[in-house]
Amino acid sequence: MLKLDFHRTGNHFLQIPGPSPVPDRVLRAISLPTIDHRGPEFGALGMNILAEIREIFKTAHPVIIYPASGTGAWEAALANTLSPGDPVLMFETGHFASLWAKMAARLGLEPEVLAYDGADEQLPDAPGWRRGVQADLIEDRLRRDRAHRIKAVCVVHNETSTGVTSDIAAVRRAIDAAAHPALLMVDSISGLACADYRHDEWGVDVTVSGSQKGLMLPPGISFNAISPKALEASKSARLPQAYWAWNEILAANQTGYWPYTPSTNLLYGLSEALDMLRDEGLEQVFARHERWAGGIRAAVAAWGLPIQCAQPECYSPVLTGVITPPGVDADALRKLVYQRFDLSLGMGLGKLKGRMFRMGHLGNTNDLTLIAMTAAVEAGLKLSGVPLAGSGVDALTAHFSSLRPDAAA
Ligand SMILES: *Cc1c(COP(=O)(O)O)cnc(C)c1O
């Protein structure tokens, strides 16, 4: 057996933007004995979780829970609602939006990918990977689709590869302004339970999410929140659906069960995490993330380094991407910080590989942990020979001292 002796003394600092650190309470819940997933206790647990998870999505409609990673729930959203050859409109905000489009093509759909139409001095080859979804481009494209061939608009709420949060309500307004019947599908895998999210109010038809980011669970379960319109579309969708089929799961969920073995122990963890989020209150959870994010941005500004997100109104409360100066390999910096300080930072994904790193500030963390992260990054930058304009640690500490933890950002 491979010894798990890579664990060093003290706590590892897991500062990637998901999986995020799992609270001890959740780990303890997960460690309870596995029970019969067809027995009465499980049915009661299932009913409770299926009711309470709706509050997190802010929906009155069903939320499907899969024993799968977020990618599985992406596939489920598309496969349940669409038919072979259906055109789907997607918006390239970064790596995850691109991967979802690639998946749509593999499933036999016809993705059309819109992207930011302006320039960017810092990243001339990836201007759209610094910005949010442009609802006006979506509206314009839908207006031109007079025959209503486009069946869905798919966007990423919090683009985890860049640290950009898009305005989903604006996308809804764009679809409505074009009077277009396309479904609205949103990936909020990393946004949910960190950033404000409203499935019903924003008229989202399918919200895709996962366990290992804002929900503070280990990886392994994922979600589809579905609107009545999406459910209706699923009745005539012709892409093959088997494992992902909503109808069988919804039928079993009526009594708190699943058609196959669900992730019993992860559901214990979810139940515990839902209690924690409810006790704190979602609005306070969002304010806590905004406050942390404001502090980390103050630190990056003090260093004098560019933030990956170029649009202040789209700054992510979940993570902050930092662009390294030309000639400084962000992956070498990450490796150094990991080796010296036992702290993991998120890597630059896709086109951004080696050019930026990502600082996660989500879920089960606190001020002092984020100060430690910032200190490790600051030390790593200095060891890498990056000239810094000032101390990010000082800026972050000042930010946290001036804003009480229970204050809104
Ligand atoms: C993490 C993430 C995914 C992928 O989820 P997996 O659980 O790794 O399959 C997709 N989209 C976004 C926005 C993510 O943050």
Side-chain angles (χ1 to χ4, degrees), residues 17-19 68-74 96-97 99-100 156-161 187-191 208-213 219-222 358:
S69 83
T71 305
W74 264 351
F96 288 106
L99 287 181
W100 202 10
V156 174
H157 174 221
N158 185 72
E159 177 55 78
T160 323
S161 63
D187 166 349
S188 192
I189 294 180
S190 63
V208 177
S209 197
S211 58
Q212 75 271 31
K213 317 244 165 125
I221 52 180
S222 55
R358 296 172 296 145

Side-chain angles (χ1 to χ4, degrees), residues 312-360:
E313 69 276 19
C314 295
Y315 280 149
S316 170
V318 181
L319 73 141
T320 300
V322 183
I323 300 177
T324 47
V328 178
D329 177 2
D331 286 340
L333 172 79
R334 285 190 319 105
K335 191 171 165 194
L336 178 78
V337 168
Y338 177 69
Q339 286 173 341
R340 297 284 183 101
F341 305 111
D342 199 12
L343 185 142
S344 295
L345 296 164
M347 66 188 300
L349 294 168
K351 298 185 197 186
L352 303 178
K353 184 170 169 42
R355 303 165 72 185
M356 58 87 82
F357 60 90
R358 296 172 296 145
M359 300 170 76

Side-chain angles (χ1 to χ4, degrees), residues 114-272:
L114 298 177
Y116 174 65
D117 52 3
D120 189 86
E121 267 180 43
Q122 196 79 44
L123 284 179
D125 57 325
W129 290 40
R130 301 193 71 196
R131 292 169 171 84
V133 172
Q134 279 180 287
D136 57 330
L137 292 188
I138 291 178
E139 179 178 335
D140 175 60
R141 180 64 190 92
L142 292 178
R143 278 187 194 282
R144 287 187 285 110
D145 180 36
R146 294 214 178 78
H148 293 169
R149 288 189 67 243
I150 295 169
K151 294 296 180 257
V153 173
C154 301
V155 293
V156 174
H157 174 221
N158 185 72
E159 177 55 78
T160 323
S161 63
T162 60
V164 173
T165 308
S166 287
D167 183 348
I168 301 303
V171 177
R172 175 77 264 166
R173 287 195 296 273
I175 298 171
D176 291 348
H180 198 288
L183 295 167
L184 172 56
M185 303 207 207
V186 179
D187 166 349
S188 192
I189 294 180
S190 63
L192 193 78
C194 296
D196 187 17
Y197 192 80
R198 311 173 193 190
H199 179 87
D200 286 2
E201 191 185 318
W202 294 345
V204 181
D205 292 300
V206 186
T207 300
V208 177
S209 197
S211 58
Q212 75 271 31
K213 317 244 165 125
L215 289 177
M216 309 177 288
L217 297 177
I221 52 180
S222 55
F223 308 88
N224 276 179
I226 59 186
S227 73
K229 184 173 161 186
L231 193 59
E232 199 49 42
S234 73
K235 292 177 183 155
S236 52
R238 285 179 290 101
L239 278 179
Q241 314 141 16
Y243 182 74
W244 306 116
W246 288 344
N247 56 2
E248 288 185 7
I249 301 170
L250 286 172
N253 280 175
Q254 289 296 320
T255 46
Y257 298 96
W258 270 258
Y260 38 67
T261 317
S263 310
T264 309
N265 292 56
L266 285 177
L267 293 174
Y268 295 159
L270 177 58
S271 178
E272 193 71 16

